[in-house]
Amino acid sequence: MDTSFEEAGAAACGPEPADPPAADATTAVATDAVAVDAGAVIVEPPAVPAVPGPSTAPDDVAAPSPAPTEATEAAEAAGTGEATVVTGTGGAAEAAAVSSAVPAPRPAAPPTSLSPSRAGDFMQCPLLYRFRVIDRLPEKPSEAATRGTLVHAVLERLFDVPAGERTAPRARALVPGQWERLRESRPELAGLFADDPDGQRLARWLGEAERLVERWFTLEDPTRLEPAERELFVEAELESGPRLRGIIDRVDVAPTGEVRIVDYKTGKAPRPEYAEGALFQMKFYALVVWRLKGIVPRRLQLVYLGSGEVRTYDPVLADLERMERRLRALWDAIREATESGEWRPRPTKLCGWCDHQAHCPEFGGTPPPYPLPVRARESGGGPQGRMGAD
């Protein structure tokens, strides 16, 4: 196992403490769609090498299907304008607070940026992309997504304490308080357990969150880690292409300057045939870092708390060039659909989790009136929701 990043953290912390320890979390997707977790928006603290901070807060950061991460979904629903960057490492609760403070949605506008989750939406179902980005239809909070937000907040908070105090009991003890903070900042979550008068379902739900938090300690040792960044918002604009945006859960920088990008999932690791879909998000982030700093990250690491697995991938420059071509082709398809107003549904097993069945023709529904001007579509248009050859 490569320990260069962990040893860097240990050197920063001093002697290794006796107690073992934690980090951040979210959800997993077992399709060609993409999973992204919730998180706060932060600027780059001083004296951090390798990876830059943003000039603006994200307008296109959100969650995966089937269980969107609610805090970041709310952030994206705010639209495509710029917002104020939030300083600090407050975690998902603060992200939710920022989202809930955003004014009511503005008039519909063509998309100007792309996040891993929105790219995943379009690949999964172009109509879903329209509902989320163009129409900005509301989505109900879900227990699974909210649990991911909670776990993420707890593990992010744990790095605020000295290395020797990053223990499993300390992490579990943070769960109730972080849940209360999340409820205070997200009033819509009050109805999540409204049909649970005796609190038994809530207690089980909190217990599941605690077990996910505790499982992280079997996968990594945060007493030997001092992340260069947590919840880092990154943004880069491709030439004649979209502005790419995202939030990276954790960035580790080794003494040699090598960069590791880490993402936490509260779901289970996907089967081998879906491994490439799971890596899409990570390669997206690696592309942004490369475009910003000219650095190809040494390692991409996915930490699956649901199944207790860590999966890694070491990218090369060709991977990032290939990803850039894919995103350009995807953006061309999104622009074509935006201008023509043709957003085709693509039925999959994930439709069962979709909040928008009432508006979907596949379920007998009718989409809302298209809010943008359209032009006549030329004959021979290519298929939506897929990307051409590299």
Side-chain angles (χ1 to χ4, degrees):
M1 181 178 66
D2 178 15
T3 59
S4 57
F5 297 97
E6 284 75 7
E7 293 300 334
C13 299
E16 182 177 357
D19 292 320
D24 287 61
T26 186
T27 52
V29 173
T31 69
D32 61 348
V34 187
V36 177
D37 44 81
V41 180
I42 67 169
V43 294
E44 178 183 17
V48 175
V51 182
S55 58
T56 56
D59 60 6
D60 189 33
V61 182
S65 291
T69 307
E70 311 299 343
T72 43
E73 278 297 349
E76 173 162 302
T80 55
E82 305 301 340
T84 303
V85 173
V86 181
T87 305
T89 56
E94 279 77 356
V98 172
S99 301
S100 63
V102 174
R106 290 160 288 181
T112 60
S113 61
L114 191 65
S115 70
S117 56
R118 296 292 72 83
D121 285 346
F122 191 83
M123 290 187 289
Q124 175 190 324
C125 175
L127 187 58
L128 174 64
Y129 178 96
R130 178 201 149 168
F131 287 157
R132 285 181 167 168
V133 177
I134 305 296
D135 299 299
R136 300 171 189 159
L137 298 181
E139 297 184 353
K140 301 184 298 293
S142 72
E143 291 185 21
T146 307
R147 182 172 55 242
T149 303
L150 173 61
V151 170
H152 193 94
V154 169
L155 297 177
E156 198 275 336
R157 277 289 185 186
L158 193 63
F159 275 110
D160 290 341
V161 304
E165 298 178 23
R166 297 170 195 161
T167 65
R170 176 68 175 264
R172 289 176 65 100
L174 290 174
V175 170
Q178 290 299 312
W179 169 233
E180 289 305 314
R181 295 181 68 193
L182 190 58
R183 288 182 58 197
E184 291 172 3
S185 62
R186 299 281 308 286
E188 68 272 22
L189 296 181
L192 199 59
F193 296 98
D195 58 347
D196 181 38
D198 58 4
Q200 291 187 10
R201 189 156 56 87
L202 173 60
R204 286 195 300 271
W205 183 82
L206 290 172
E208 291 166 359
E210 291 175 356
R211 285 189 290 275
L212 289 170
V213 167
E214 197 168 31
R215 184 171 292 154
W216 192 85
F217 292 81
T218 68
L219 304 175
E220 292 189 285
D221 182 356
T223 67
R224 299 177 63 80
L225 287 170
E226 288 301 330
E229 293 282 4
R230 290 174 280 152
E231 300 301 310
L232 175 68
F233 169 62
V234 291
E235 177 182 72
E237 189 153 2
L238 300 182
E239 184 179 351
S240 70
R243 184 187 313 146
L244 304 181
R245 297 181 150 195
I247 297 176
I248 301 174
D249 283 353
R250 196 181 88 209
V251 178
D252 299 327
V253 179
T256 57
E258 294 173 311
V259 173
R260 176 172 66 182
I261 296 175
V262 181
D263 192 71
Y264 302 93
K265 307 293 185 188
T266 51
K268 296 180 180 179
R271 298 192 300 272
E273 60 265 35
Y274 298 117
E276 183 59 32
L279 277 173
F280 179 95
Q281 171 197 3
M282 305 302 285
K283 291 179 181 179
F284 185 109
Y285 292 151
L287 169 62
V288 176
V289 170
W290 173 51
R291 280 302 181 195
L292 286 171
K293 285 293 186 177
I295 296 172
V296 177
R298 156 79 182 281
R299 174 152 293 176
L300 309 178
Q301 181 164 305
L302 286 155
V303 181
Y304 290 97
L305 301 178
S307 54
E309 299 178 56
V310 175
R311 295 190 180 178
T312 63
Y313 182 83
D314 296 344
V316 296
L317 181 58
D319 290 319
L320 308 188
E321 293 173 335
R322 187 159 46 247
M323 173 59 71
E324 184 166 334
R325 290 194 296 270
R326 294 179 70 188
L327 291 177
R328 288 184 190 279
L330 179 63
W331 188 245
D332 287 344
I334 290 173
R335 288 195 299 189
E336 171 64 29
T338 302
E339 293 172 4
S340 68
E342 294 187 22
W343 300 91
R344 305 172 192 165
R346 182 184 171 204
T348 67
K349 294 180 180 179
L350 296 179
C351 292
W353 283 278
C354 185
D355 277 346
H356 308 303
Q357 293 180 9
H359 297 288
C360 180
E362 294 294 323
F363 292 87
T366 302
Y370 191 56
L372 299 177
V374 299
R375 61 164 173 75
R377 182 178 176 86
E378 297 177 3
S379 61
Q384 290 185 340
R386 301 179 188 276
M387 293 180 290
D390 296 327

